[in-house]
Amino acid sequence: MQCVKLPISVTVEINLLLVAVTVSALVTRLYGIHFPKAVVFDEVYYGQFLSLYMKHVFFIDESGPPFGHMILALGAYLGGFDGNFVWNRIGAEYTSNVPVWSLRVIPALAGSFCIPLAYLLVVELGYSHSSALGACVLLLMENSLIVQSRFMLLESVLIFFLLLAVLSYLRFHKAHNSSFRWFWLVTSGVSCACGIGVKYMGMFTYFLLLGLAAVHTWHVIGDRTLSHVSFIVVQILVRFLALVVLPVIMYLGFFYIHLTLLYRSGPHDQMMSSAFQASLEGGLARITQGQPLDVAFGSQVTLRTVSSKPVPCWLHSHKANYPVRYENGRGSSHQQQVTCYPFKDVNNWWIIKDPGRHSLVVSSPPRPVRHGDIIQLLHGMTSRYLNTHDVAAPMSPHSQEVSGYIDFNVSMPAQNLWRVDIVNRESDREIWKTILSEVRLVHVNTSAVLKLSGASLPEWGFKQLEVVGDKIYKGYQQSGMWNVEEHRYGRSQEQKERELELKLPTHSDIKRNLTFMAKFLELQWKMLTVKNEESEHKYSSSPLEWITMDTNIAYWLHPSSNAQIQLIGNIVNWTIANLSLVVYSLMFLTYLPRRRRKVEDIPQDTWEQLVLAGVICFGGWAVNYLPFFLMEKTLFLYHYLPALTFKILQIPVVIEHLYIHVLRSPAQRKAFGGVILGVLCSVYVSYHNLSPLTYGQPALSSDELAALRWRESWDILLRKR
């Protein structure tokens, strides 16, 4: 046995600059985050989801994936929040059961750690520790980033993961012989997944990194020192697994946890399919559990449209006829109205009837309805057959009218036969299933498909939604798909007894679940396609207004004083950041053609360093900014903060390059150093002057606030006394 030599020593290197900027960041972001003890701007939005998380109630947020909400929910859970608070308005005072500090601490910590990540990123790009310190100072005193970090908001969390992803990839790329090399690659993939999981905006930086990784992999292909097996297995496969497969698995994992936690029925249920709703505890599940699974001749059913546009609704009829003539002079059949009604109602019930029999009850044993069968649909409360014919629909004259057939002896024979077309069938004789089957009802006489047009009927139709027969129906359209939501086996042949039966609730004793992938795909589709009605917001702005910060956002106003919190950036930072983008572009466009002509103003390694910095900083700004010009959604200044962070990182890159490679004489460099010092002082002065609007205290007088309105377009609130 070999003896261990004593003493055992450990050498630790501590970067005091890195420690100092980290501590400074924690102070600027964490100090007084419990103030104000009131709802601040979008906390009213995220807080509603937070309460639903605490109560395990399902919700859908079309703005992004659930990982960001789960991070905020973690803070609430650690603080013991029970979810009992009404998030109904900005400025509402938090009650004693709301752990304000816990709700805000995770975004504040994420915003704080963005500063040391920026330091390490600049160093990893090959620039000096002085330049890295300069980047940290600029980010430390960026008022907009401080404001966004101090509240229950997600931009600081997003920026943290984006910076970590970029830093980790650069470390992987440069650490050729390090044992930690693959660790950094995995960390980059994990960070990319987390960034996308917080907000879809993270996808932009992810694509930038994928492009950079593809270029680096292409260069590796030309490395003749690698054997064929080593190249294929290690270099390509591992990168693909870490940067593509791992993020996909994690993304699915976020939704798996999300759907596992939110197992109760909630206010957003109706946006989802009947099958999805039935998988949740309570709500529709209480109604549908225990229903017969197989639809049979004699079944009493409600038919819900698969589409949720404009709203989820059920096939409906009532004791009211179409007008003899419409306002434009067109005539109708004057038969009973058939509509789609967005509320549960006894008039939503229909009876599946066999055209060859008079019976309206389920036989023993039941005869199931299969794909391809011909049926009639009898309205339960009025005994009218679902009918369509060659009469123009009221709001969609290119389609056929759908009606409840009434024989007025006017040579309009009944046309009430429908073929059952189960779209998601697995066999050609599949049985029509409750909730699970998506069914297209095809009219036998005209081949028209029963479809929700989406138009609203006038007052005579009680503003309900129009149902039509579409003769030019092609492909898969959710508006032409229906599923049985509520279902019972009919037992009453007489009308009066049947009406009483239809008014009784269905029973509940069996739970029917969807698979995770089915729920994930449906939820993902809804998030990408279902949008809330966009309305103009007082503080919304266009991307062009962000560059020069012509806009601001009032986050909070004290109920009795001028104390307020505003999302306003450090105007000196924004100005020099814009200037750095212009200077970098000019340098790049100057060097590129000259190098093409073999004029090398700077060494090759310096050129490669400058290009890589441009890809990360300039590219990071571009991919996080330019896509907003294509988005049809309400935009706010805080959407620019990821792009702003990369733009600020460009500043020390440009300054160091100018100082070392452009300025030649000591006098020029000395003068340039003086300018830099003056700019840093101006950054501090701007940060200090705007601090009362950043932290919400101290309260300023109206004159002092008016003096801070450095742009005419800024909307700084002045309380009249």
Side-chain angles (χ1 to χ4, degrees), residues 463-653:
K463 300 290 187 180
Q464 294 176 17
L465 299 175
E466 181 189 46
V467 175
V468 300
D470 188 357
K471 295 182 69 173
I472 57 173
Y473 184 97
K474 292 182 180 180
Y476 178 91
Q477 299 177 34
Q478 285 192 335
S479 58
M481 302 296 168
W482 305 83
N483 68 270
V484 171
E485 186 171 271
E486 296 182 63
H487 176 211
R488 75 177 100 224
Y489 282 164
R491 304 298 180 191
S492 304
Q493 183 73 27
E494 297 298 325
Q495 174 70 16
K496 293 296 183 182
E497 294 178 2
R498 190 167 62 246
E499 289 181 14
L500 293 174
E501 186 178 8
L502 291 173
K503 294 175 182 179
L504 293 175
T506 52
H507 298 288
S508 160
D509 53 22
I510 301 174
K511 189 171 183 179
R512 195 176 290 133
N513 283 322
L514 285 180
T515 64
F516 161 69
M517 283 305 299
K519 295 175 73 173
F520 164 76
L521 292 173
E522 180 178 344
L523 179 56
Q524 187 67 78
W525 177 253
K526 293 294 183 183
M527 291 171 61
L528 295 175
T529 58
V530 177
K531 299 294 182 184
N532 289 334
E533 292 186 8
E534 298 293 344
S535 57
E536 198 65 29
H537 193 283
K538 179 180 180 181
Y539 291 107
S540 62
S541 53
S542 69
L544 284 176
E545 295 177 287
W546 302 344
I547 300 179
T548 52
M549 202 173 58
D550 290 335
T551 183
N552 68 298
I553 305 176
Y555 271 17
W556 171 80
L557 175 65
H558 192 278
S560 59
S561 72
N562 270 324
Q564 58 189 277
I565 295 174
Q566 296 273 352
L567 183 68
I568 295 179
N570 188 318
I571 197 167
V572 181
N573 261 349
W574 290 53
T575 302
I576 60 175
N578 289 334
L579 184 61
S580 73
L581 290 180
V582 174
V583 173
Y584 179 86
S585 301
L586 292 175
M587 289 194 307
F588 183 82
L589 294 175
T590 300
Y591 286 138
L592 188 62
R594 288 173 62 82
R595 294 184 69 82
R596 184 65 177 168
R597 296 189 60 82
K598 307 303 181 183
V599 179
E600 296 190 359
D601 302 286
I602 55 177
Q604 178 65 23
D605 58 345
T606 302
W607 167 249
E608 292 176 356
Q609 178 190 38
L610 188 66
V611 170
L612 181 60
V615 170
I616 298 300
C617 301
F618 192 100
W621 168 80
V623 299
N624 283 287
Y625 173 58
L626 299 180
F628 286 105
F629 285 96
L630 305 176
M631 293 186 184
E632 296 181 359
K633 59 177 291 186
T634 304
L635 299 174
F636 297 92
L637 181 63
Y638 57 72
H639 287 122
Y640 190 59
L641 295 184
L644 173 69
T645 302
F646 285 102
K647 186 166 69 168
I648 291 176
L649 292 178
Q650 185 85 69
I651 298 173
V653 170

Side-chain angles (χ1 to χ4, degrees), residues 328-339:
N328 59 8
R330 286 193 300 114
S332 78
S333 67
H334 194 48
Q335 293 182 357
Q336 185 167 295
Q337 297 174 17
V338 173
T339 66

Side-chain angles (χ1 to χ4, degrees), residues 210-312:
L210 280 185
L212 186 60
V215 171
H216 289 160
T217 305
W218 182 253
H219 290 163
V220 171
I221 293 176
D223 188 348
R224 301 177 66 88
T225 63
L226 292 171
S227 68
H228 180 72
V229 174
S230 173
F231 165 69
I232 294 294
V233 175
V234 178
Q235 297 297 330
I236 292 183
L237 181 60
V238 175
R239 294 178 194 218
F240 179 77
L241 290 174
L243 295 180
V244 178
V245 176
L246 179 60
V248 170
I249 292 174
M250 289 188 62
Y251 185 78
L252 290 172
F254 297 149
F255 278 90
Y256 182 82
I257 297 172
H258 177 72
L259 292 171
T260 301
L261 291 174
L262 306 184
Y263 56 85
R264 291 176 177 162
S265 174
H268 294 184
D269 286 12
Q270 284 200 351
M271 298 176 67
M272 311 306 293
S273 69
S274 301
F276 195 107
Q277 293 181 57
S279 71
L280 300 173
E281 180 182 295
L284 180 61
R286 287 202 306 268
I287 301 173
T288 60
Q289 290 167 13
Q291 295 182 156
L293 179 60
D294 296 344
V295 177
F297 289 104
S299 286
Q300 299 171 355
V301 301
T302 64
L303 291 166
R304 182 185 189 268
T305 176
V306 173
S307 173
S308 57
K309 296 179 179 180
V311 291

Side-chain angles (χ1 to χ4, degrees), residues 17-27 112-113 115-116:
L17 279 179
L18 187 58
V19 172
V21 297
T22 303
V23 172
S24 301
L26 289 169
V27 171
S112 301
F113 291 132
I115 308 303

